[in-house]
Amino acid sequence: MESFDVLIVGAGLSGIGAAWHLQDKCKGKSYAILEARDAIGGTWDLFRYPGIRSDSDMFTLGYNFRPWTESKAIADGPDIRRYVNETAREAGIDKKIRFGHKVSHASFDSHTGRWTITARTADGERTFSCGMLLMAAGYYSYDNPYNPHFEGEDSFKGTIFHAQHWPEQLDYSGKRMVVIGSGATAVTIVPVVAQKTAHVTMLQRSPTWMVSRPATDKVANFFRSVLPDMWAYNLIRFRNVVMQNFVFKQARTNPAKVNARMTEMLLKEMPAETVNAHFQPSYNVWDQRLCLVPDSDFFKAVNAGKADVVTDHVDHFDEKGIALKSGKRLDADIIVKATGLRLQVLGGATVDVDGQAATPNSRYVYRGMMLEGIPNLVYVFGYFNASWTLRADLTCEFACRLINEMDKRKTPIAIPVRNIDVQDEELLLNSGYVQRALDTLPRQSSTDPWRDTQDYLRDRKSIRNDSLDDGTLQFRPLATASSPVLAEAAE
Ligand SMILES: Cc1cc2nc3c(=O)[nH]c(=O)nc-3n(C[C@H](O)[C@H](O)[C@H](O)COP(=O)(O)OP(=O)(O)OC[C@H]3O[C@@H](n4cnc5c(N)ncnc54)[C@H](O)[C@@H]3O)c2cc1C
């Protein structure tokens, strides 16, 4: 069995970032990355639908240690993939990746203070050992997207697939396409395919809040022309963080005002009857992630008549297309299900501590980075209300602080132990994919540190500076006859 100080699971944006921070802050630690797929990039390699792009700006979705230097702030998928790949290659991280290793189980032994990790490979199971486990496995299932089966779906004679598995060779020129869904994926696909299809319809059950932003940030590009890359990057990053934070807080404290402002902006993009019929959600702005429309591309496609939006429900499918509950129908050659993701915790791996199953959904999150009763495991989970990487960077910095602190104290085990009663609190966002997965997610409370604050500016201070001696995170020796195993804390 191969042994490492640290194992990172996942070679996406977060896993590559984690390796970079580890190399930078915990010099000399041995590590490897176990990656289920055969490529670096995670999300930005998996998703191949036309127009795949970020829906937040790259000044905040980029790493805090590497400036984003492309001209577009709302970046195309291939550019993000290249950014992650280049980061890995330049730092030599690519050499540490074991591709085709899907982690299925992690088992902690408090007599040795080490994890045994089981990974499935094409040649059977392999095991590894490590002291610290850094889970950077993203938040959704790569194999099983949310793919509801509609009545009569099998009788449809055209092409049908889920957007997460877009067929590479698909020719949609001159075809009639229906995209089911109203989230970021549908809103990205529709204006791009509209350039070639005979017609494309976005079929939504209910509207989503959308806002247009320029794909290219002129102010940022000006700063970049006069300042060194990293200075300009940090400046724009800070501006964007403050702006996003302001809008989110306004939406929470004064939702009616923010809803009205968003509607005003939509009315500048499209006729009032279109806005009223299809763009007035029943929820408040930022109760779900705000959907970005770069350079108004989606609105332009609708205004030009190349695309339309239908708000209705699928009754059933037939040979030619979709019969709707209203009695209308949508005939199609191609139907794309942009119905969303299926959330997944810890990359779908199971965990035990001293032989006792340790399920995430029975535990509170510790600072949104560790789980109560599970030692030596840090997981990366980004923000819902801001770019993922803002939190991924902070989490990896925290993991490095923790590793160094354990070395300093010569204690092989660090475990968050909850010694107070706390009240469950609902998650901040009510998006469908979050609601569907509530029973699998770790618990949140309203009491620090047993919650994920979703507040970058607050986290930046506390995660970097708060003492690790917070009365909750316990540094322990190995289990012996006089020092009990951790199982009792685990379940
Ligand atoms: C289409 C789309 C667009 C998005 N746009 C944005 C955006 O604009 N801004 C934003 O902030 N967020 C966005 N997100 C969220 C996005 O996923 C994150 O920004 C970021 O890419 C997550 O990186 P990650 O490395 O944590 O996870 P992922 O990109 O999901 O990578 C996880 C990696 O872990 C591997 N893995 C998973 N389980 C295992 C296992 N058991 N064993 C081994 N390896 C495993 C996977 O194969 C994958 O390579 C978007 C998500 C999607 C789906």
Side-chain angles (χ1 to χ4, degrees), residues 475-490:
F475 294 89
R476 294 200 183 169
L478 295 179
T480 58
S482 57
S483 167
V485 295
L486 295 168
E488 85 278 11

Side-chain angles (χ1 to χ4, degrees), residues 10 12-14 35-36 43-44 54-56 101 103 138-139 142 347 387-388:
L13 193 57
S14 305
E35 167 53 55
T43 297
W44 304 106
S54 65
D55 64 356
S56 55
H101 281 64
V103 172
Y139 65 106
Y142 274 52
S387 285
W388 180 276

Side-chain angles (χ1 to χ4, degrees), residues 71-87:
S71 62
K72 275 169 88 176
I74 307 301
D76 298 329
D79 289 342
I80 305 176
R81 190 160 72 233
R82 191 167 56 244
Y83 173 81
V84 181
N85 270 281
E86 279 174 11
T87 307

Side-chain angles (χ1 to χ4, degrees), residues 208 270 405 485:
T208 300
M270 284 173 300
E405 184 70 18
V485 295

Side-chain angles (χ1 to χ4, degrees), residues 10 13 18 35 57 92 107 123 202 260 264 277 321 331 347 349 370 383 414 422 442:
L13 193 57
E35 167 53 55
D57 70 276
S107 177
D123 304 320
M202 183 175 97
E264 237 176 74
D331 287 342
M370 294 180 83
Y383 291 114
V422 293

Side-chain angles (χ1 to χ4, degrees), residues 109-167:
D109 180 350
S110 48
H111 294 97
T112 60
R114 293 188 69 81
W115 287 100
T116 300
I117 308 298
T118 308
R120 290 194 208 113
T121 75
D123 304 320
E125 281 192 348
R126 291 197 60 195
T127 51
F128 299 84
S129 149
C130 67
M132 178 65 70
L133 182 58
L134 238 164
M135 295 297 297
Y139 65 106
Y140 62 89
S141 163
Y142 274 52
D143 306 323
N144 297 306
Y146 178 62
N147 191 358
H149 189 82
F150 297 102
E151 193 192 322
E153 196 178 311
D154 300 333
S155 62
F156 178 57
K157 291 275 188 273
T159 308
I160 182 164
F161 54 87
H162 193 282
Q164 191 164 320
H165 300 134
W166 190 281

Side-chain angles (χ1 to χ4, degrees), residues 25-86:
K25 298 170 185 66
C26 300
K27 294 204 167 32
K29 289 283 173 203
S30 62
Y31 80 93
I33 301 179
L34 302 180
E35 167 53 55
R37 303 175 70 238
D38 291 323
I40 292 175
T43 297
W44 304 106
D45 186 73
L46 174 77
F47 278 83
R48 297 295 175 121
Y49 56 71
I52 171 74
R53 56 161 171 82
S54 65
D55 64 356
S56 55
D57 70 276
M58 286 306 298
F59 298 99
T60 53
L61 188 59
Y63 298 117
N64 64 6
F65 54 83
R66 182 184 176 93
W68 176 255
T69 53
E70 304 286 334
S71 62
K72 275 169 88 176
I74 307 301
D76 298 329
D79 289 342
I80 305 176
R81 190 160 72 233
R82 191 167 56 244
Y83 173 81
V84 181
N85 270 281
E86 279 174 11

